[in-house]
Amino acid sequence: MISPKMVAAHTGHSSASAEWIICLDKRPAERSGEDVDIILARLKRVKAFERFHPSLLQQICLCGYYECLERGVTLYRQGDIGTSWYAVLSGSLDVKVSETVNHQDAVTICTLGIGTAFGESILDNTPRHATIVTREFSELLRIDQREFKSLWEKYRQCMAGLLAPSYGVMESGGPSPDRMPDKENISNNSFGSISKHLSKVPSEKIMRAGKVLRDAILSRAPHIIRDRKYHLKTYRQCCVGTELVDWQMQQSSCVHTRIQAVGMWQVLLEEGVLNHVDQELTFQDKYLFYRFLDDEQEDAPLPTEEEARESNEELQDTLLLLSQIGPDAHMRMILRKQPGQRTADDLEIIYEELLHIKALSHLSTTVSTDSVTFIIHCRPYTVALFNQGEEGTSWYIILKGSVNVVIYGKGVVCTLHEGDDFGKLALVNDAPRAASIVLREDNCHFLRVDKEDFNRILKDVEANTVRLKEHYQDVLVLEKSPSSNSTTSSSHYKYTVMSGTPEKILEHFLEMMRLDSHLNESDPALDDFVLMHCVFIPNSQLCPVLMASQGSEQERLDYTLNNKRRVIRLVLQWASVHGDHLQEEDASLAFLEEFFVSVSDDARVIPALKYQLPELEKIVKNTSDDARSSQQKHKVLLRQFSMGDEKLQKRQAIKSNDEILFKVYCSDHTYTTIRVPMAASVREVISAVADKLGSAEDLLLVNLSSAGDKVVLKPNDISVFSTLSINGRLFVCPGDQLDSLMPLPEQEGPSTGSLGSFELMSSKDLAYQMTLYDWELFHCVHEHELIYYTFGRQNFKKTTANMDLFLRRFNEIQLWVITEICLCAQLSKRVQLLKKFIKIAAHCKEYKNLNSFFAIIMGMSNPAVSRLSQTWEKLPSKFKKFYSEFESLMDPSRNHRAYRLTVAKLDPPIIPFMPLLIKDMTFTHDGNKTFIDSLVNFEKMRMIANTVRIVRHCRSLPFSAEPSQTSKNHPDVRSYVRQLTVIDNQRTLSQFSHRLEPRRT
């Protein structure tokens, strides 16, 4: 048996985090339900298993074994008869293939990383195709042949994608430039060749969906399916596309738009459950005829009463299923069209989707949507998309699936996944392909841009690029495009900043500023600069540049006047956007006061400037007065991040120079209270603790969770107080005491639920008070905190405490739901709890509090709650349907399309799902460089600013909703929702869950 301590030493984890290994290392028969849950939680994070049904994963947890191997260990050799199947949990392994009997001749053709699986030859007892050698210390999950065959027989459909090797042999035959779409394994935008690559046999799930819809139409609106005459020809038992869309939109609130309904019908069309009478492969919202598969036969039977009743019961679930997979089908349908046949709506949908693909995120609408062709490769592992040495004719982007990059003599040099692109180099250099591209898996989807279009794109981009140079170096790069508003401009073109030096970007925006517009009519491009300049030209550098930009009296008077007016305009917008943050910077305050004096002096010489003086004076006065007032109060924050009466006060925004009184614990659970600024660094916190303790030895500052997980904080980390988990605490200790740190008893959380107090509160009151508190937290988040959070607050030395607390509120509500359910011992009360949480979620959705709405639904889908099958079985079907509908809004497919469609229809005020906004900004930040050739990548700034403006839009109106009736226990509800107590240890919650409902054997 393997020691978890040895594993922890290799992986760098403590023994607490190797808990799942202890469970997996037991004999299968000895594993308890709790063991299975712990293993399950770990395996859910492994890519190889993410598509697996929960019951299959549970079976794997029961029969799998844990293996850990040092570097250089041969797992098995080419030609051996296999006995086991493996999945890689950590580390990596080389796949070596030899064409001779001598193993010394073996060449590494690829490397298997985390999430890959191999060893499928055990299904038919064929010899191993390759030799597998560990490249580094690796952890594997092993399943013996007998158990694996049993799983394969039972779960063949969802396991099929794993059972081909992650390496392939390229198809033989002479070179042919880029495998073009007429080959057997590809379908492209030629409609004639697509049909055979759509599913010939509909899946059971979609077949059932088609039957439910047909039966529901026949029982609710039978006139929709009837014989139709058109151009003297009779079409038997048909529906009209427009009528199908009309009917579907009347049936469910989950169908928001006609475009969405088209995608849902397209799902049925792709699988042959619904067919166009002329075999067209796109569903259209037009007077076109479609026929259900059941109606293809003569005298198709009408549904019986029993079938009609079942269809009506299943209709909402069916529509929900189709609404989740419809967007993918709709996207495929659009991309299969010839580029010239795509409508403006089609192009908009493609553009929105392609923005989230790394390879295309920086391209303009024309480039992204005009020239792409959609292709599918259906036969994996033996197909080379193109071979090394062939002429390059296309550029590819991976929409779905993955490919290996293979070089002769070296084998697989890397693997490309969804969002990656390849084939560009041969087109740019007009050179042969430098490598072969081999499919790794079934059903890979690609976008293809052919050489002619690619060259046109390059020419268009270059032709529309304007470069300003100084000393032979680019200092400003602009993109020229037709102006949509040429009547108000002397030019028929507009120029968008792509990149440049900070000074030249500022200079450009000042030159292009329109002085005839009102200050409230914000210029989006200027707003991008004002929001994002902190990334590339902080206030300490910007303020002197602005002072120098006013010009001098020696210059021509009209030029000086307009120039000064532009600078004043920019300063007003800058001060407005930065708001309270300016009060934290003495240099910025001094600049504002100096700027006002300078403009006042200029106004004596140039009277026209007097019109802008009152507004400037107002901003300067308010900012200076607020700063002085803030310094006098010098707010001291108690430990308001977890407990305390101050949670009942209305939230005030936390600033970097606010001070905090905070407990820092020692290994013996004594503590010292320190007082430091919110933005203090870890180094400063340790110094303050050392002064109190009188200790001179090297100390570590540790974030210790309730589960015992330890994170040693880096000396340059700042504002760490607000980043602790719900029940986390800060500990300080010498390095040799790190292992001895144990959580405080108070970190465990409550031992009894609060059902007794909150079951008497109305769901609507609870949702209303939660929304009030969430709005206070959300309103305190400064726009710049999103930028500091994304780029790293340590780079700005600014706190993101308001953002941290708002994000933590999401976790708190999620854990509150899990805690209350897991601490409720009585089955009937647990069912009541589920109903109450679903009601609260529904009211949060009504109040447009999507942050708490998502938190509640995610709490209910946590494994500790979702596994309580007895509880869920007793939940009334009405509430199950509500929950399913709510869950569908959380569907992450197509970049959370369901959520984005919902939000797009809402008017402010809105409390958005903040983790998704942060994810969007992080995606943009990680996928785009901040500087390109030493110039600021302003395209990246623009994309991030667009996300920040979503927050601005959500808060553009105040939250003023009132509860429907005045509640007698209003103060109790307010106090309750602001002081939730939760368990944040998933293992503890899992234990409570198993005590409530032990696993059925």
Side-chain angles (χ1 to χ4, degrees):
M1 198 172 281
I2 298 154
S3 165
K5 289 184 179 176
M6 181 184 76
V7 176
H10 279 291
T11 60
H13 296 305
S14 65
S15 56
S17 63
E19 205 168 31
W20 68 276
I21 298 173
I22 299 172
C23 303
L24 193 56
D25 209 32
K26 293 179 181 177
R27 296 180 187 279
E30 296 170 359
R31 292 173 195 164
S32 65
E34 189 182 324
D35 293 335
V36 170
D37 271 5
I38 291 167
I39 301 168
L40 188 64
R42 172 67 175 84
L43 293 189
K44 277 183 176 177
R45 302 200 301 270
V46 177
K47 188 177 179 183
F49 301 127
E50 62 189 12
R51 301 194 307 272
F52 281 12
H53 190 277
S55 58
L56 168 57
L57 258 185
Q58 207 154 29
Q59 292 299 314
I60 289 174
C61 295
L62 282 168
C63 68
Y65 291 89
Y66 175 80
E67 297 266 2
C68 68
L69 303 170
E70 297 291 341
R71 179 185 177 191
V73 174
T74 299
L75 196 64
Y76 56 71
R77 292 191 181 278
Q78 185 176 344
D80 290 351
I81 299 298
T83 58
S84 301
W85 176 84
Y86 301 87
V88 185
L89 301 175
S90 76
S92 57
L93 303 93
D94 285 332
V95 179
K96 297 173 178 283
V97 173
S98 172
E99 294 183 5
T100 69
V101 292
N102 191 348
H103 294 302
Q104 305 298 324
D105 297 336
V107 175
T108 301
I109 65 162
C110 69
T111 298
L112 304 175
I114 297 170
T116 52
F118 59 97
E120 73 293 336
S121 64
I122 59 173
L123 283 174
D124 50 13
N125 289 321
T126 55
R128 297 294 197 188
H129 305 110
T131 300
I132 306 290
V133 182
T134 54
R135 188 184 184 91
E136 57 188 308
F137 173 81
S138 301
E139 294 175 285
L140 308 175
L141 178 80
R142 175 174 62 82
I143 299 179
D144 287 341
Q145 185 178 33
R146 192 178 70 176
E147 283 79 8
F148 190 75
K149 279 187 172 181
S150 172
L151 291 176
W152 169 245
E153 288 305 318
K154 193 172 179 183
Y155 299 99
R156 180 188 300 256
Q157 191 172 355
C158 68
M159 293 180 75
L162 280 181
L163 296 190
S166 302
Y167 43 91
V169 182
M170 285 165 281
E171 58 183 10
S172 58
S176 58
D178 288 18
R179 304 291 187 265
M180 296 306 286
D182 57 341
K183 290 187 76 77
E184 181 194 346
N185 63 297
I186 301 176
S187 70
N188 75 335
N189 60 333
S190 165
F191 291 140
S193 64
I194 295 176
S195 56
K196 65 185 177 219
H197 301 293
L198 301 177
S199 302
K200 292 178 185 173
V201 180
S203 68
E204 190 177 327
K205 192 163 52 174
I206 302 304
M207 194 75 158
R208 180 61 190 165
K211 179 167 177 52
V212 167
L213 290 178
R214 176 183 177 270
D215 290 354
I217 289 172
L218 287 170
S219 63
R220 297 183 180 200
H223 64 279
I224 290 178
I225 302 177
R226 66 178 192 271
D227 291 350
R228 313 240 180 197
K229 284 189 176 180
Y230 188 71
H231 284 301
L232 304 178
K233 185 175 179 182
T234 300
Y235 295 89
R236 206 173 36 76
Q237 292 299 90
C238 291
C239 319
V240 170
T242 308
E243 291 178 9
L244 287 175
V245 170
D246 289 338
W247 179 82
Q248 197 171 66
M249 291 193 68
Q250 293 164 8
Q251 305 307 311
S252 173
S253 60
C254 73
V255 186
H256 305 295
T257 64
R258 299 187 76 83
I259 287 176
Q260 186 187 4
V262 166
M264 294 162 71
W265 288 114
Q266 179 66 23
V267 173
L268 302 184
L269 195 71
E270 281 193 350
E271 297 220 20
V273 175
L274 184 75
N275 293 299
H276 186 276
V277 292
D278 291 332
Q279 303 306 309
E280 294 286 343
L281 291 169
T282 59
F283 183 90
Q284 296 184 64
D285 184 7
K286 293 181 180 177
Y287 192 80
L288 297 175
F289 297 158
Y290 298 91
R291 188 183 292 122
F292 281 98
L293 185 61
D294 286 352
D295 291 317
E296 297 281 354
Q297 55 183 312
E298 291 283 347
D299 302 320
L302 294 173
T304 63
E305 282 188 23
E306 177 67 16
E307 287 173 331
R309 185 184 59 77
E310 286 178 0
S311 292
N312 284 323
E313 284 178 1
E314 291 180 42
L315 181 61
Q316 293 307 316
D317 290 340
T318 299
L319 291 172
L320 197 59
L321 166 71
L322 294 175
S323 73
Q324 291 168 346
I325 56 182
D328 282 347
H330 193 224
M331 182 70 169
R332 287 193 295 271
M333 179 182 80
I334 294 170
L335 287 169
R336 285 188 181 107
K337 292 181 183 180
Q338 294 283 358
Q341 295 174 343
R342 293 171 191 159
T343 65
D345 285 341
D346 290 344
L347 295 180
E348 190 176 331
I349 290 168
I350 299 174
Y351 183 53
E352 185 184 316
E353 294 294 332
L354 300 191
L355 277 178
H356 298 283
I357 297 175
K358 282 184 293 187
L360 295 170
S361 60
H362 66 289
L363 296 179
S364 69
T365 314
T366 319
V367 173
S368 297
T369 59
D370 239 7
S371 314
V372 290
T373 300
F374 179 59
I375 59 173
I376 303 176
H377 284 253
C378 298
R379 186 158 51 89
Y381 319 116
T382 58
V383 175
L385 204 60
F386 52 74
N387 279 325
Q388 187 175 343
E390 293 175 356
E391 177 194 350
T393 61
S394 299
W395 172 42
Y396 296 88
I397 300 105
I398 305 174
L399 270 187
K400 176 185 174 185
S402 57
V403 299
N404 281 333
V405 180
V406 180
I407 295 177
Y408 295 139
K410 293 183 179 178
V412 175
V413 292
C414 70
T415 298
L416 303 176
H417 299 275
E418 185 177 315
D420 291 330
D421 66 302
F422 55 89
K424 196 189 303 180
L425 200 62
L427 302 189
V428 172
N429 298 332
D430 202 19
R433 297 295 193 188
S436 301
I437 298 293
V438 183
L439 306 189
R440 281 183 84 240
E441 55 191 286
D442 191 11
N443 201 24
C444 291
H445 295 190
F446 301 92
L447 294 179
R448 188 188 76 220
V449 179
D450 290 335
K451 189 172 185 176
E452 185 180 329
D453 289 319
F454 184 82
N455 289 336
R456 179 178 60 78
I457 289 168
L458 289 184
K459 285 177 185 173
D460 288 349
V461 169
E462 198 52 45
N464 292 318
T465 300
V466 179
R467 300 176 185 274
L468 178 65
K469 294 180 181 286
E470 288 183 359
H471 305 296
Y472 307 105
Q473 296 292 321
D474 287 345
V475 291
L476 188 65
V477 181
L478 306 171
E479 181 183 49
K480 182 176 75 172
S481 58
S483 174
S484 59
N485 192 17
S486 57
T487 56
T488 58
S489 170
S490 58
S491 169
H492 293 293
Y493 295 96
K494 64 175 182 178
Y495 293 86
T496 307
V497 176
M498 309 294 283
S499 60
T501 64
E503 295 78 12
K504 285 297 173 185
I505 292 173
L506 173 59
E507 188 179 302
H508 172 79
F509 285 133
L510 286 171
E511 285 177 3
M512 301 304 292
M513 188 186 294
R514 285 177 52 215
L515 292 172
D516 56 342
S517 64
H518 193 268
L519 185 63
N520 293 335
E521 298 174 33
S522 175
D523 174 4
L526 185 63
D527 193 46
D528 293 339
F529 178 85
V530 171
L531 266 174
M532 301 301 302
H533 75 79
C534 57
V535 174
F536 53 88
I537 180 169
N539 286 339
S540 58
Q541 296 173 28
L542 177 66
C543 293
V545 174
L546 288 173
M547 282 301 295
S549 296
Q550 293 184 79
S552 65
E553 290 180 35
Q554 285 73 38
E555 294 172 280
R556 291 203 338 263
L557 198 62
D558 59 342
Y559 174 80
T560 304
L561 169 63
N562 286 336
N563 202 47
K564 286 180 183 295
R565 287 174 64 196
R566 289 187 177 100
V567 175
I568 294 167
R569 179 80 177 258
L570 188 142
V571 169
L572 289 171
Q573 189 166 342
W574 169 76
S576 171
V577 169
H578 280 257
D580 293 347
H581 278 198
L582 292 180
Q583 299 166 20
E584 303 171 20
E585 300 174 357
D586 293 339
S588 296
L589 282 172
F591 159 73
L592 271 180
E593 291 169 354
E594 184 185 349
F595 186 79
F596 175 66
V597 170
S598 173
V599 174
S600 301
D601 291 342
D602 288 339
R604 296 191 188 98
V605 182
I606 312 172
L609 292 178
K610 288 181 180 176
Y611 297 111
Q612 290 175 294
L613 268 179
E615 203 162 1
L616 184 60
E617 182 179 21
K618 181 182 174 184
I619 279 189
V620 172
K621 185 176 185 304
N622 289 347
T623 307
S624 300
D625 289 350
D626 288 348
R628 278 191 285 274
S629 169
S630 177
Q631 285 166 3
Q632 286 167 6
K633 293 178 188 173
H634 212 68
K635 195 194 317 176
V636 176
L637 305 165
L638 300 175
R639 177 160 171 80
Q640 93 283 20
F641 303 134
S642 62
M643 300 290 224
D645 294 337
E646 68 284 342
K647 274 204 167 187
L648 301 181
Q649 307 303 315
K650 185 170 181 180
R651 300 293 313 184
Q652 298 294 320
I654 300 167
K655 301 174 186 173
S656 294
N657 55 8
D658 286 338
E659 294 193 336
I660 180 169
L661 285 172
F662 208 86
K663 291 178 181 176
V664 180
Y665 293 85
C666 300
S667 55
D668 61 358
H669 287 189
T670 59
Y671 66 85
T672 182
T673 304
I674 60 169
R675 175 173 169 167
V676 290
M678 272 302 306
S681 67
V682 166
R683 191 178 285 108
E684 291 168 322
V685 172
I686 291 175
S687 176
V689 172
D691 287 346
K692 284 281 190 104
L693 295 177
S695 169
E697 58 188 323
D698 290 335
L699 297 174
L700 301 175
L701 192 65
V702 182
N703 177 349
L704 183 65
S705 75
S706 59
D709 297 326
K710 308 173 187 76
V711 177
V712 178
L713 301 170
K714 298 172 185 172
N716 292 330
D717 287 346
I718 68 162
S719 190
V720 294
F721 312 104
S722 56
T723 61
L724 298 175
S725 57
I726 309 292
N727 294 334
R729 296 291 184 269
L730 278 183
F731 278 73
V732 69
C733 69
D736 59 1
Q737 291 182 17
L738 182 63
D739 291 339
S740 66
L741 293 184
M742 297 292 289
L744 303 164
E746 70 185 57
Q747 290 183 252
E748 292 178 7
S751 55
T752 56
S754 59
L755 178 61
S757 58
F758 102 95
E759 69 179 337
L760 302 175
M761 303 172 187
S762 88
S763 301
K764 187 151 192 172
D765 282 346
L766 283 160
Y768 176 72
Q769 290 297 333
M770 286 169 69
T771 302
L772 271 183
Y773 185 46
D774 290 355
W775 181 259
E776 288 176 21
L777 290 168
F778 179 47
H779 200 260
C780 288
V781 178
H782 195 285
E783 290 176 1
H784 277 95
E785 286 190 64
L786 280 85
I787 298 166
Y788 302 153
Y789 193 96
T790 303
F791 285 84
R793 56 182 161 261
Q794 69 280 359
N795 296 321
F796 304 90
K797 297 189 168 46
K798 298 277 190 180
T799 186
T800 56
N802 302 292
M803 168 70 78
D804 297 333
L805 294 181
F806 184 51
L807 289 170
R808 192 160 75 171
R809 176 66 173 174
F810 179 88
N811 294 333
E812 185 176 52
I813 292 173
Q814 190 180 168
L815 288 163
W816 166 60
V817 172
I818 308 166
T819 300
E820 292 298 336
I821 292 172
C822 288
L823 290 179
C824 184
Q826 198 174 333
L827 177 60
S828 61
K829 293 282 188 185
R830 281 201 305 281
V831 176
Q832 292 303 314
L833 262 178
L834 282 183
K835 287 169 63 177
K836 193 167 190 88
F837 282 129
I838 290 170
K839 286 180 186 176
I840 295 170
H843 289 306
C844 282
K845 187 166 173 277
E846 283 173 29
Y847 286 127
K848 294 180 278 192
N849 181 359
L850 301 178
N851 207 58
S852 286
F853 167 76
F854 270 81
I856 293 168
I857 301 304
M858 286 181 75
M860 296 175 76
S861 62
N862 183 276
V865 176
S866 62
R867 65 166 298 279
L868 298 172
S869 54
Q870 295 169 41
T871 309
W872 285 96
E873 282 166 9
K874 293 189 177 297
L875 185 68
S877 59
K878 180 177 81 170
F879 284 90
K880 287 178 182 173
K881 284 183 178 176
F882 279 139
Y883 177 69
S884 293
E885 188 177 323
F886 293 163
E887 260 199 324
S888 74
L889 282 177
M890 295 170 53
D891 178 22
S893 66
R894 304 311 314 168
N895 193 31
H896 294 270
R897 181 196 282 269
Y899 167 77
R900 295 182 198 275
L901 278 172
T902 302
V903 175
K905 297 197 306 178
L906 299 179
D907 295 319
I910 305 164
I911 304 179
F913 177 35
M914 187 57 84
L916 183 57
L917 286 176
I918 293 296
K919 178 189 166 190
D920 287 347
M921 293 181 70
T922 304
F923 177 87
T924 304
H925 176 51
D926 292 345
N928 299 274
K929 293 179 180 177
T930 303
F931 294 92
I932 299 174
D933 297 330
S934 302
L935 300 179
V936 177
N937 179 6
F938 203 74
E939 285 184 282
K940 173 178 177 175
M941 303 302 133
R942 189 177 299 113
M943 287 189 283
I944 290 181
N946 283 337
T947 307
V948 176
R949 273 193 285 271
I950 293 172
V951 170
R952 184 183 297 176
H953 169 71
C954 290
R955 300 192 297 206
S956 57
L957 290 174
F959 176 73
S960 56
E962 291 295 335
S964 57
Q965 55 190 26
T966 306
S967 172
K968 292 179 181 177
N969 59 355
H970 158 75
D972 295 337
V973 180
R974 174 184 166 84
S975 174
Y976 178 80
V977 301
R978 288 168 183 250
Q979 300 187 87
L980 302 175
T981 56
V982 303
I983 299 169
D984 67 352
N985 184 339
Q986 184 63 44
R987 176 176 169 77
T988 303
L989 292 166
S990 181
Q991 288 173 338
F992 279 125
S993 174
H994 275 89
R995 286 177 202 163
L996 295 175
E997 295 185 23
R999 186 171 59 85
R1000 294 173 179 175
T1001 55

